[in-house]
Amino acid sequence: MNTNNASHVPAPGRTHADFDVVVIGAGLSGLYQLYRLRRSGLKALVFEAGDGIGGTWFWNRYPGARVDSQSHVYQYWFSKEIHEDWTWSERFCAQPELERYINFIADRCGLWDDIQLGTRVTGLRYDDNGRCWHVETDRGDRVTAQFVVSCTGMLSAPLTDLFPGQKRFRGELYHTARWPKTPVVFEGKRVGVVGTGATGIQVIQTIAPLVTQLKVFQRTPQYTIQMNNWRWNEPDHKQLHARFDELKQRVHNTFAGFDFDFERGSYHALTPAQRRDALEELWHDGTLAFWVGSFPEVLVDENVNADVTAFVREKMRARIERPELAAKLIPTRYGFGTRRVPLETHYLEAYNRDNVELVDISQTPIREITEKGVRTAAGEYELDMLIFATGFDAATGALTRIDIRGREGRTLKEKWGEDIRTAMGLQLHGFPNFFMTGAPLAPSAAFCNMTTCLQQQVDWITDTICYLRDRGRQTIEPTAEKEEQWLQHHEEIANATLLVKTDSWYLGSNVKGKQRRLLSYVGGVAAYRQQCDQVMAAGYPGFVMA
Ligand code: FAD
């Protein structure tokens, strides 16, 4: 890891510097974007708000943070040589190792010189005459660039200000996505966790044995899958290295960008015994294959979904000692897989402990945060520490927090305030030469193992910029019709699934006033990639170049 990267970081506050491309964000996608732009001979600069690189794996250093994608598919594929110099210690590795991996990549590729840390992009303004973007930061930089690529992250805008009275709390208050680098002591403390999504679950199962008391404030119970994690050994490393080419191909050709797929045929074609066997086998695998690599009908057919839901409920019930707890922890109001399904280790068993209490805030909502703790409709819970695992303004939040003004001064916030739409999740009508990764209406959030999609999107963006350069063109922008066509295609697929029947952050339901629309494209990673490739091969129909 580069421990002295400050010396490589250009001084902030620059003016009048011109770049071919400004990249926003130094997470997995921003770093790969920088790598590809440099290799294409383009002058690029990355602005990163954090004081380190890694994005998700820089900010989310909470106890228990780890991937739900298997490590051997959650990685870069651009260099076999670099790949062979890295080994994953576990099947599902934890945050510190991911942060080390990302720093290792930046070191090996010499990326540091073009990354400016600790700098938040606050404004982007398109100049129609100059055919360029004016970029402003919170540290006084004023630069121009022909292109801007936003790699600001699908899950990077945390929801932090949720309850009245938060500032009054006298104990320690943390949001999981802004976890401090300094050690946090749990021993001897009464701790509250608000939120039981994928992150809350990781925190709860990790700190339950450490704290004196744990109060879990749960609004919505979750279906969970038991993670089957293990440590890799030397022969495993050799085997995974040898599979590089095969895995690289494989992830780009599956439904969700993993190394598993819907390969068991139709659920309807199996006998009840065969179905049970298949579900048991998938369950034992302990990966997201149980969800996005089992049977496609799970996501679209209510009867199949009901069967699989009953199976998961049975598995969960077997691990919870008290029936009244099981009644609160096992979802009853929605079907399996229609919200993000977390993997977990000893999560349900945590509630069998005497020091853990589940507070059902769907029955007794949180009224306010007090000086001493949390007041719900049922009374006050006194705490020494409060942890918000309250999630993100997904897909749109990181972008609408920047003042982005396209042609004729129209802001992105206004555009998405009316209707969340994009052209293939990659570009926006009215915002020429502005590209995005991890944006709405592209595959994401477990409907894509994100490293697969992010690399594919960065490749498309880079190849598009090079296409323009090689043909002497200055700008590219999708037409309104192209956006509309993609939106209709997206909606047709989304509305055929059960996902749109359940409130969740996938639909923006966790953010007050946000339009209800499935944010991720669920037509499949392979199908999405083919459509992107076709657009390029056909000379960008639906995009205007000048
Ligand atoms: P990010 O990693 O979010 O990086 C975006 C960067 O942009 C951040 O560093 C941010 O500081 C910066 N930024 C944002 N706005 C600005 C601005 N205005 N100016 C300057 N910088 C800015 N995905 C999976 O596929 N599998 C998993 O197992 C998985 N686990 C996850 C676990 C957690 C706890 C979370 C939160 C997410 C997880 N994800 C997972 C999704 C994860 O976000 C992606 O896999 C991936 O890391 C996203 O990379 P990115 O570069 O697109 O965005």
Side-chain angles (χ1 to χ4, degrees), residues 30 127 152 170 209 354 421 448 518 531:
D127 175 350
T152 46
R170 286 219 217 103
D354 291 338
R421 49 173 63 215
C448 180
L518 188 61
Q531 292 174 84

Side-chain angles (χ1 to χ4, degrees), residues 153-330:
M154 203 234 174
L155 297 173
S156 67
L159 298 170
T160 50
D161 208 6
L162 292 172
F163 304 102
Q166 266 175 228
K167 292 205 172 75
R168 269 183 303 181
F169 183 57
R170 286 219 217 103
E172 299 162 67
L173 179 64
Y174 303 107
H175 191 288
T176 48
R178 289 292 177 268
W179 200 264
K181 281 184 173 171
T182 45
V184 174
V185 176
F186 295 99
E187 285 76 5
K189 292 188 181 155
R190 298 164 303 169
V191 179
V193 175
V194 181
T196 54
T199 286
I201 283 174
Q202 291 184 334
V203 173
I204 291 159
Q205 67 194 15
T206 308
I207 66 170
L210 307 177
V211 301
T212 303
Q213 271 179 32
L214 181 59
K215 308 285 180 204
V216 177
F217 298 91
Q218 173 192 275
R219 190 176 53 187
T220 312
Q222 305 287 349
Y223 296 105
T224 61
I225 298 172
Q226 265 183 297
M227 176 185 276
N228 187 1
N229 199 7
W230 58 62
R231 291 194 74 77
W232 297 115
N233 59 26
E234 188 57 34
D236 295 328
H237 293 147
K238 281 203 177 117
Q239 203 202 17
L240 287 175
H241 285 150
R243 291 182 63 202
F244 179 85
D245 294 319
E246 172 222 325
L247 283 169
K248 180 180 174 176
Q249 281 301 313
R250 174 85 176 140
V251 296
H252 284 295
N253 289 295
T254 56
F255 172 73
F258 291 82
D259 59 343
F260 47 71
D261 209 355
F262 297 127
E263 278 168 341
R264 288 168 173 78
S266 168
Y267 188 81
H268 296 293
L270 304 182
T271 65
Q274 286 170 328
R275 291 171 185 171
R276 178 86 201 179
D277 287 350
L279 292 180
E280 286 289 357
E281 189 190 316
L282 284 158
W283 189 259
H284 180 73
D285 187 46
T287 64
L288 293 178
F290 188 87
W291 175 29
V292 285
S294 56
F295 298 96
E297 292 99 332
V298 174
L299 298 173
V300 292
D301 181 324
E302 285 193 344
N303 293 327
V304 176
N305 186 275
D307 268 15
V308 177
T309 299
F311 178 93
V312 176
R313 286 185 182 144
E314 181 192 317
K315 292 285 183 197
M316 290 177 73
R317 200 171 295 115
R319 295 166 56 199
I320 307 167
E321 283 167 10
R322 283 174 282 155
E324 68 276 15
L325 253 179
K328 286 183 184 166
L329 281 167
I330 301 172

Side-chain angles (χ1 to χ4, degrees), residues 24-30 47-50 54-57 59-60 62 66-69 74 119-121 151-156 199 340 392 398 402 437 448-451 454:
I24 314 174
L28 280 160
S29 57
F47 287 117
E48 166 53 56
T56 292
W57 306 108
W59 294 107
N60 292 265
Y62 59 81
R66 69 174 64 236
V67 266
D68 276 355
S69 299
Y74 192 79
T119 309
R120 181 170 291 281
V121 171
C151 297
T152 46
M154 203 234 174
L155 297 173
S156 67
T199 286
R340 161 78 156 85
F392 303 89
I402 305 173
T437 63
C448 180
N449 167 48
M450 288 296 281
T451 51
L454 294 173

